[in-house]
Amino acid sequence: MKRWTAISLVVVIVGGLFVYNKYFKKGSEKGPDGKAAEGGKGGDGKGKGGPGGGGPTSVNGFIVIQQALKEEVVATGSLLANEQVDIFPEVSGRITQLNIREGQPVAAGTLLIKLYDADLKAQLQRLIVQEENARRIEERNKQLLARGGISQQEYDIVVTNLKSASADIEVVKANLRRTEIRAPFSGVIGLRNVSLGAYVTPNTLIARLQQTSSLKLDFSIPEKYGSSIKQGSEVRFMVDAFAKPFTGQVYALEPAVDEATRNLRIRARVNNTQSQLRPGSFAKVTLTIQNERGMIVPTQAVIPQTRSKQVVLVKNGKAVFKDVTTGIRSASTIQILSGIQVGDTVATTGLLFLKPDGDVKVSRMVTLQSIKPIEQPGSARPAQPDSTPAAEPRQAKL
């Protein structure tokens, strides 16, 4: 009995669904005039500018132009004093004279420290007296040798004693000079670590002397750019203490590439007559590698592929996909080496909805000034487009 009841329920349900689909649902899809409503078919099927419509896809366009390009490498570097020396005494002794004014400039040859030297001066006086006596003896024996009163050997011994006395005097004078510490070059003396009357040894750091009127800027670049760097090349750099850039000139290159990093070390000269920069500061260096003219397009116009890159040209209302070779890249533009020509119109938006030979409509033309930079890791700042655009930091080639 239960079995037939279940079968009857299934038959009733299936019949009810059939009647509903045939009469009630079909009637609800008709309009007031008995025709099928058009809302269920997505409108008129001509969704202009949208991916689901049958009309042309609306995009923004950019006309390919040619302008001056500057390829640059961004590196990190350090500022160094033109000359720098840590001042240590040559001998042990007590400081009797201290002429160090911390943080003040000093001229080359200025006496900075004098050590106790009374014992050496007394020794020098004794040796001077001995030398005078040896000189008188040499003069008398020279006369005796001329008369045959002494032998040549006896005279040679006297001359040797005289020369030995003179040599001893020079040794003591040298030791006296070692008790004086003078500035080896003009510069600025740093903070001193000793006081008057202190006993110092050759391991005692007195102070540091630096020549800061001219600084050296050390930085490294990848070895592949080595052939493009020459003496006299200009570099720009920024330091954290100032918002403005500074410039320097390359004057020396390391002859060999570092085997560990495969980088080439470069040194530039920086004028610091106004003493704005300080040795030891971190510097972000921008070095111009080359200057050329080339075709550019907005960065977002390039579509990366597995083994190539493409742009979409708009020709006669159709989308034409072109393989291109790219070059220098900035935050907002990218150089095109081949694949398109100056004057072509490339699509910059709606690229995901475009198909080869699909209908395209350019709704708006964009310019370099309206391109929004795309932040890239390590990029310094966006491009500055004009007739001669500002140099852009070098990024990895696409």
Side-chain angles (χ1 to χ4, degrees):
M1 187 65 180
K2 292 181 179 181
R3 178 181 177 185
W4 289 107
T5 303
I7 293 173
S8 300
L9 289 174
V10 171
V11 172
V12 171
I13 292 172
V14 172
L17 290 175
F18 175 77
V19 173
Y20 173 78
N21 289 332
K22 185 173 182 180
Y23 297 101
F24 294 94
K25 187 175 180 180
K26 184 176 179 180
S28 65
E29 293 179 353
K30 295 182 179 181
D33 56 355
K35 297 182 179 180
E38 296 180 356
K41 295 183 179 181
D44 58 359
K46 299 180 180 180
K48 296 182 179 180
T57 302
S58 179
V59 299
N60 291 342
F62 177 85
I63 298 177
V64 180
I65 62 174
Q66 189 176 47
Q67 69 173 27
L69 300 172
K70 287 185 179 180
E71 182 178 7
E72 297 180 343
V73 173
V74 175
T76 57
S78 298
L79 289 173
L80 307 174
N82 183 47
E83 299 291 347
Q84 174 178 304
V85 62
D86 290 334
I87 301 174
F88 291 89
E90 293 187 59
V91 295
S92 299
R94 179 171 52 86
I95 298 176
T96 59
Q97 189 176 350
L98 185 62
N99 299 327
I100 294 179
R101 294 190 303 165
E102 297 172 295
Q104 297 299 316
V106 296
T110 301
L111 179 63
L112 302 177
I113 285 181
K114 178 65 178 177
L115 301 180
Y116 178 80
D117 63 352
D119 55 340
L120 292 175
K121 287 182 177 179
Q123 185 179 354
L124 178 61
Q125 291 299 323
R126 178 172 59 83
L127 291 175
I128 290 175
V129 172
Q130 292 178 355
E131 183 196 31
E132 292 176 352
N133 184 45
R135 192 176 301 281
R136 287 193 296 268
I137 294 174
E138 185 271 336
E139 290 176 354
R140 289 196 299 267
N141 280 271
K142 185 176 182 180
Q143 295 175 358
L144 290 174
L145 178 64
R147 299 173 184 176
I150 60 174
S151 65
Q152 181 67 41
Q153 182 179 6
E154 291 175 325
Y155 176 74
D156 291 342
I157 293 175
V158 172
V159 172
T160 300
N161 291 336
L162 175 60
K163 292 181 177 179
S164 178
S166 299
D168 290 340
I169 291 176
E170 294 300 323
V171 170
V172 174
K173 287 182 178 179
N175 288 333
L176 280 171
R177 287 192 294 269
R178 295 173 70 185
T179 62
E180 297 179 349
I181 301 178
R182 296 182 179 272
F185 51 82
S186 298
V188 178
I189 196 73
L191 305 180
R192 59 182 172 87
N193 301 314
V194 296
S195 300
L196 183 65
Y199 184 85
V200 295
T201 68
N203 294 325
T204 304
L205 175 62
I206 305 299
R208 175 173 292 177
L209 179 64
Q210 296 179 320
Q211 191 176 81
T212 59
S213 59
S214 177
L215 300 180
K216 294 182 287 190
L217 175 62
D218 277 13
F219 60 97
S220 299
I221 62 172
E223 61 175 322
K224 65 179 180 179
Y225 301 120
S227 59
S228 302
I229 305 303
K230 299 178 181 179
Q231 291 186 358
S233 298
E234 185 179 81
V235 298
R236 293 181 294 107
F237 65 95
M238 300 282 293
V239 294
D240 293 337
F242 296 92
K244 64 178 182 179
F246 295 87
T247 60
Q249 261 193 341
V250 174
Y251 76 93
L253 290 82
E254 190 72 35
V257 174
D258 190 302
E259 294 183 0
T261 62
R262 303 302 178 188
N263 288 338
L264 178 65
R265 187 179 176 188
I266 300 175
R267 179 166 289 176
R269 183 83 64 192
V270 179
N271 187 8
N272 192 38
T273 53
Q274 297 181 356
S275 300
Q276 292 181 305
L277 302 172
R278 296 181 180 274
S281 298
F282 171 83
K284 186 175 182 179
V285 185
T286 304
L287 179 64
T288 301
I289 298 300
Q290 66 181 21
N291 192 342
E292 61 179 16
R293 294 186 64 84
M295 296 181 295
I296 64 167
V297 298
T299 304
Q300 57 266 34
V302 179
I303 306 172
Q305 303 293 324
T306 304
R307 296 185 178 180
S308 64
K309 299 171 185 66
Q310 291 183 333
V311 297
V312 181
L313 301 182
V314 180
K315 290 187 176 182
N316 300 322
K318 298 292 183 179
V320 180
F321 285 72
K322 285 283 188 178
D323 291 336
V324 294
T325 304
T326 58
I328 303 170
R329 179 175 182 174
S330 72
S332 58
T333 61
I334 187 169
Q335 180 188 15
I336 303 298
L337 301 177
S338 64
I340 59 177
Q341 298 178 352
V342 175
D344 288 344
T345 300
V346 297
T348 61
T349 60
L351 302 180
L352 296 177
F353 308 123
L354 297 178
K355 297 181 180 180
D357 295 327
D359 293 334
V360 181
K361 178 184 178 181
V362 178
S363 60
R364 185 171 70 93
M365 298 299 295
V366 297
T367 61
L368 287 178
Q369 287 79 4
S370 63
I371 299 174
K372 185 178 180 180
I374 298 177
E375 294 295 334
Q376 299 289 339
S379 61
R381 55 191 178 279
Q384 301 176 4
D386 52 25
S387 58
T388 305
E392 289 301 321
R394 172 68 180 174
Q395 300 183 17
K397 284 192 175 184
L398 294 181

